[in-house]
Amino acid sequence: QQPVQSPQAVILREGEDAVINCSSSKALYSVHWYRQKHGEAPVFLMILLKGGEQKGHEKISASFNEKKQQSSLYLTASQLSYSGTYFCGTEGGAGNDMRFGAGTRLTVKP
Amino acid sequence: GAVVSQHPSRVICKSGTSVKIECRSLDFQATTMFWYRQFPKQSLMLMATSNEGSKATYEQGVEKDKFLINHASLTLSTLTVTSAHPEDSSFYICSARSAPWEYGYTFGSGTRLTVV
């Protein structure tokens, strides 16, 4: 029931772009994206609802393809502060428990 | 924004003792809270869903008698690890649905439990 995330790890230079993918085998109500720094709690980035949508958050944006039950997180012109582990979380219904993908470890180097 | 306070942040206990972890929603009411467990470099695994005024719902494979959850009020949920063993050492983190809804889930700061 956990969504599948890819890639497992990404190493970038500052200014480069990255895409992180998240897919589910079951129908989804929403997809969430979080970033977690080492030893800290996950921080909410954005939520996308069924019906398919795309959102932007500064240089971080995401899309949700409801038909394919897939979501992608786009990181453009990466900054050192983007380093961390990115998790997608999926809900099967409104207010239902959220399941997390295995995470994508992103490292941005100078 | 919504804040979830979790205490303690770190705890070391001896094998066989019990540890209580508190999770409070500070500026909103959380009828439902979620408890996760995270091993190093791994994902957050849902342990149980805590419901105010009713019994918690545990995920398959999680021992409800070992991980006692109490949701006594709309702002407080507690997780008690009973008769702790070294294999219970982990990072435990709670979360609640934020208000407003479109802000996703807010997480507590987590509790690093070490059983010696």
Side-chain angles (χ1 to χ4, degrees):
Chain A
Q1 295 187 3
Q2 280 185 280
V4 178
Q5 251 184 271
S6 64
Q8 290 185 332
V10 181
I11 299 176
L12 300 173
R13 292 287 180 187
E14 266 189 297
E16 293 182 339
D17 303 339
V19 180
I20 301 172
N21 300 302
C22 177
S23 64
S24 174
S25 59
K26 55 186 283 186
L28 297 176
Y29 173 78
S30 68
V31 177
H32 300 224
W33 285 97
Y34 294 82
R35 177 171 60 210
Q36 185 180 30
K37 302 275 187 178
H38 180 68
E40 301 178 6
V43 173
F44 173 73
L45 294 176
M46 64 187 76
I47 182 173
L48 301 103
L49 296 177
K50 69 175 183 178
E53 61 174 334
Q54 190 155 355
K55 280 190 175 180
H57 186 273
E58 295 182 345
K59 295 179 181 178
I60 301 175
S61 62
S63 63
F64 178 26
N65 186 322
E66 183 184 4
K67 289 184 179 179
K68 294 183 178 181
Q69 303 303 321
Q70 293 176 349
S71 178
S72 294
L73 183 71
Y74 305 95
L75 303 156
T76 59
S78 60
Q79 306 169 13
L80 294 176
S81 61
Y82 286 3
S83 292
T85 301
Y86 289 79
F87 293 100
C88 69
T90 57
E91 288 180 297
N96 283 10
D97 49 274
M98 185 159 59
R99 310 290 169 148
F100 287 94
T104 297
R105 184 179 297 273
L106 180 74
T107 304
V108 181
K109 295 186 175 182
Chain B
V3 177
V4 173
S5 176
Q6 185 172 343
H7 293 282
S9 57
R10 291 179 181 272
V11 58
I12 300 173
C13 70
K14 292 184 177 180
S15 288
T17 61
S18 296
V19 174
K20 179 185 283 189
I21 302 170
E22 291 190 348
C23 186
R24 294 180 185 272
S25 56
L26 297 186
D27 47 4
F28 67 103
Q29 293 182 336
T31 55
T32 302
M33 288 189 177
F34 304 94
W35 288 94
Y36 294 86
R37 181 174 182 176
Q38 186 177 35
F39 290 105
K41 297 184 179 181
Q42 293 189 22
S43 186
L44 298 101
M45 299 302 297
L46 180 66
M47 297 176 64
T49 302
S50 170
N51 301 296
E52 187 269 335
S54 63
K55 290 183 178 180
T57 303
Y58 290 82
E59 292 299 299
Q60 191 173 6
V62 177
E63 300 176 61
K64 60 181 182 181
D65 294 331
K66 180 169 187 63
F67 298 99
L68 300 178
I69 291 174
N70 184 276
H71 198 143
S73 74
L74 288 171
T75 59
L76 175 64
S77 176
T78 61
L79 168 67
T80 301
V81 182
T82 62
S83 186
H85 291 283
E87 57 265 31
D88 297 327
S89 298
S90 188
F91 189 61
Y92 294 87
I93 191 164
C94 64
S95 76
R97 198 61 184 270
S98 302
W101 171 91
E102 58 266 29
Y103 287 176
Y105 287 75
T106 299
F107 287 83
S109 55
T111 298
R112 175 76 57 192
L113 171 64
T114 303
V115 184
V116 297

